[in-house]
Amino acid sequence: QVQLVESGGGLVQPGGSLRVSCAASGFTFSRYTMSWHRQAPGKERELVAAITSTMDSTNYADSVKGRFTISRDNAKNTVFLQMNSLKPEDTAVYYCNAEYASGWTSRSYWGQGTQVTVSS
């Protein structure tokens, strides 16, 4: 069965760093575009970062550009989000997403999320 399990969230001080991970299983990970989204209280879920299946392209929200880095290890079926210079406004639940589209077929899977809290 399909599973996306996030880990690595927690409490960090402003200016600090944190790396969250997403372990995938139950599907062909290497074929999927992987991304991280986040949702803060009272706000809409937003795309944070994405990386293509072939790792030839990445995309970041303007708010995190230069601070966050997305990466993936296809051999380990894992995607990472390295978060540096964290700000209180980065506080949110971070969700892992896997998406695949080919012809008329489209699939999308979501993890349960991991809480990241940036506070002094």
Side-chain angles (χ1 to χ4, degrees), residues 19-38:
R19 188 177 78 160
V20 291
S21 303
C22 174
S25 61
F27 63 98
T28 307
F29 179 84
S30 61
R31 295 180 181 175
Y32 282 68
T33 293
M34 300 300 299
S35 63
W36 288 94
H37 295 65
R38 68 186 182 186

Side-chain angles (χ1 to χ4, degrees), residues 10 13-14 17 20 27-29 42 46 51 54 61 74 76 78 81 83 88 90 94 99 105 108 113 116 118 120:
Q13 294 184 350
S17 297
V20 291
F27 63 98
T28 307
F29 179 84
E46 64 173 342
I51 184 168
T54 55
N74 285 348
K76 299 290 186 181
T78 305
L81 184 68
M83 301 179 285
D90 294 319
Y94 284 71
E99 189 163 341
T105 301
S108 183
V116 173
V118 185
S120 59

Side-chain angles (χ1 to χ4, degrees), residues 58-110:
T58 56
N59 186 40
Y60 298 93
D62 288 340
S63 60
V64 308
K65 199 169 298 181
R67 299 188 297 120
F68 290 11
T69 303
I70 188 170
S71 62
R72 66 191 293 165
D73 186 340
N74 285 348
K76 299 290 186 181
N77 286 3
T78 305
V79 62
F80 306 93
L81 184 68
Q82 178 67 46
M83 301 179 285
N84 298 326
S85 301
L86 283 161
K87 305 173 181 179
E89 50 262 47
D90 294 319
T91 296
V93 177
Y94 284 71
Y95 297 92
C96 177
N97 172 256
E99 189 163 341
Y100 173 79
S102 180
W104 297 98
T105 301
S106 180
R107 295 180 183 273
S108 183
Y109 304 117
W110 292 90

Side-chain angles (χ1 to χ4, degrees), residues 38-49:
R38 68 186 182 186
Q39 187 165 28
K43 294 187 176 182
E44 299 293 323
R45 187 173 298 188
E46 64 173 342
L47 173 69
V48 176

